[in-house]
Amino acid sequence: AQSVTQLDSQVPVFEEAPVELRCNYSSSVSVYLFWYVQYPNQGLQLLLKYLSGSTLVESINGFEAEFNKSQTSFHLRKPSVHISDTAEYFCAVSENNQGGKLIFGQGTELSVKP
Amino acid sequence: SAVISQKPSRDICQRGTSLTIQCQVDSQVTMMFWYRQQPGQSLTLIATANQGSEATYESGFVIDKFPISRPNLTFSTLTVSNMSPEDSSIYLCSVGGLAGGAQYFGPGTRLLVL
């Protein structure tokens, strides 16, 4: 069975500092990995995904994540965060690259302070 | 991606009653899902809504408590039956099978059961 572990429930950082949100997964089959973001009182938005190809994937707002098969990780990074990045971030895994069933991690609350 | 709407956006209900949540997509999609997000928690898949047949429920969720309909490729409903305060959650529908291989989520329905 698949599972996802987000190692940090809360990550407080100062504005313009770098941040890494950690995600590890377990699976006995091929995996497809996703990061979603949930801003306060809003639904989930897809941030970025790894389906195949380059192991480094980027979002339009400066986040990036790297698929590391040997370490079974898909950590999310940003070199310089903004106040507006304050949100809950969820890592998710699927056995399906067609938008099928997702297993979510517990979430990491990123709090960016001025 | 797809534009997904849910109704109602929020509701306050009395225990013992039932609430039906609607999910509408602006294009035909092959896969639709229902998730629950309990307060301060991650997302848990309730079921996959199958067009023209019974939904596929995850462990811990049963049809009598969460009946689901999917009459066509753009619409689904989730009913939360005989509600108790433990059912207070955000309920989200999502869609898959679109180009890009990811799932996309609706804005969610915030349910409070008194």
Side-chain angles (χ1 to χ4, degrees):
Chain A
Q2 294 181 317
S3 67
V4 179
T5 301
Q6 291 182 243
L7 296 166
D8 306 295
S9 60
Q10 294 181 320
V11 174
V13 294
F14 287 105
E15 192 173 19
E16 298 184 3
V19 70
E20 178 180 81
L21 307 184
R22 296 179 292 171
C23 172
N24 287 89
Y25 68 90
S26 67
S27 177
S28 58
V29 297
S30 297
V31 294
Y32 305 94
L33 296 155
F34 308 84
W35 277 99
Y36 286 86
V37 58
Q38 186 176 36
Y39 296 102
N41 298 312
Q42 295 188 27
L44 263 70
Q45 299 176 28
L46 178 67
L47 188 60
L48 46 74
K49 61 187 177 185
Y50 170 77
L51 300 178
S52 65
S54 172
T55 57
L56 183 65
V57 291
E58 300 177 350
S59 72
I60 59 173
N61 59 353
F63 282 95
E64 64 178 31
E66 186 162 19
F67 171 54
N68 188 318
K69 188 174 182 178
S70 63
Q71 297 186 5
T72 61
S73 68
F74 190 55
H75 301 332
L76 182 69
R77 302 183 181 93
K78 189 171 185 179
S80 176
V81 294
H82 302 287
I83 298 287
S84 59
D85 292 324
T86 294
E88 189 88 16
Y89 291 80
F90 293 96
C91 182
V93 64
S94 177
E95 292 181 352
N96 182 303
N97 65 353
Q98 300 298 314
K101 174 180 165 180
L102 290 170
I103 304 297
F104 282 88
Q106 301 90 326
T108 297
E109 181 183 348
L110 175 64
S111 177
V112 182
K113 305 180 186 304
Chain B
S1 62
V3 177
I4 306 164
S5 60
Q6 286 185 234
K7 288 196 292 187
S9 59
R10 59 179 65 234
D11 207 342
I12 301 174
C13 300
Q14 298 298 317
R15 69 171 66 212
T17 63
S18 298
L19 177 71
T20 295
I21 302 167
Q22 299 179 3
C23 179
Q24 179 75 54
V25 191
D26 68 342
S27 59
Q28 292 186 342
V29 292
T30 55
M31 291 183 266
M32 293 184 78
F33 306 90
W34 287 98
Y35 289 83
R36 180 176 73 182
Q37 186 179 22
Q38 294 178 300
Q41 303 295 316
S42 185
L43 284 81
T44 302
L45 180 64
I46 297 172
T48 301
N50 300 310
Q51 194 266 328
S53 64
E54 191 172 288
T56 304
Y57 290 85
E58 297 299 306
S59 175
F61 297 96
V62 295
I63 188 171
D64 289 345
K65 177 66 175 177
F66 297 103
I68 289 170
S69 78
R70 189 175 174 196
N72 56 52
L73 294 177
T74 64
F75 185 79
S76 178
T77 67
L78 168 74
T79 298
V80 186
S81 303
N82 188 24
M83 288 184 285
S84 67
E86 292 71 34
D87 294 320
S88 298
S89 296
I90 301 173
Y91 292 86
L92 300 103
C93 74
S94 70
V95 302
L98 300 167
Q103 264 187 45
Y104 297 93
F105 285 80
T109 295
R110 297 174 183 276
L111 172 61
L112 176 64
V113 183
L114 303 177

